[in-house]
Amino acid sequence: DFLPLKCDACEQIFCTDHIAYAQHDCTSAYKKDVQVPVCPLCNTPVPVRRGEMPDVVVGEHIDRDCKSDPAQRKRKIFTNKCMKPGCKQKEMMKVICDQCHKNYCLKHRHPLDHDCSRAGHPLSKAG
């Protein structure tokens, strides 16, 4: 069959043997040949913007938005972030300061360790 066919990406004319993007090395194939990766844990399509790496986007989806059990268990165990500036530690349970009522990690739980902002009150019960 040698009927002329127009490529929907580059709009050049080809025969049926060469109409496929790979057969004529189409320079505009990226416009039409779009694939959406699927999360391997929750089987949800993960949208990828042009120029982004699909592996990186799927990895971010697993870390943040994935609804699968392994991802949620990993994410929700340590959700109590330390409020001390610069500290990125997270704890399983809340450790609330008695004076400023903010959450801290075990290292910064004492008022002297997190520069407690409760002005005008003693830093400890002892005085």
Side-chain angles (χ1 to χ4, degrees), residues 82-83 87 89-91 95 103-109:
C82 181
M83 299 290 285
C87 183
Q89 184 68 31
K90 295 179 182 178
E91 299 292 340
V95 182
N103 186 50
Y104 294 97
C105 67
L106 293 175
K107 183 178 177 183
H108 299 118
R109 69 183 182 265

Side-chain angles (χ1 to χ4, degrees), residues 42-98:
C42 66
N43 292 325
T44 304
V46 180
V48 178
R49 292 187 192 102
R50 203 172 297 283
E52 289 182 326
M53 295 288 294
D55 293 340
V56 173
V57 175
V58 171
E60 289 174 357
H61 162 79
I62 290 171
D63 291 340
R64 291 190 207 139
D65 304 325
C66 189
K67 302 296 184 216
S68 73
D69 287 341
Q72 283 185 341
R73 273 187 261 134
K74 177 184 171 192
R75 187 170 47 247
K76 289 192 175 185
I77 289 177
F78 298 100
T79 57
N80 300 300
K81 188 177 182 307
C82 181
M83 299 290 285
K84 175 147 172 94
C87 183
K88 295 180 181 178
Q89 184 68 31
K90 295 179 182 178
E91 299 292 340
M92 282 176 72
M93 299 177 65
K94 288 186 177 183
V95 182
I96 305 293
C97 174
D98 290 336

Side-chain angles (χ1 to χ4, degrees), residues 98-99 111-112 121-127:
D98 290 336
Q99 295 178 5
L112 292 173
H121 288 59
L123 290 177
S124 69
K125 290 181 181 179

Side-chain angles (χ1 to χ4, degrees), residues 109-120:
R109 69 183 182 265
H110 298 294
L112 292 173
D113 294 331
H114 64 259
D115 300 325
C116 193
S117 61
R118 182 87 178 213

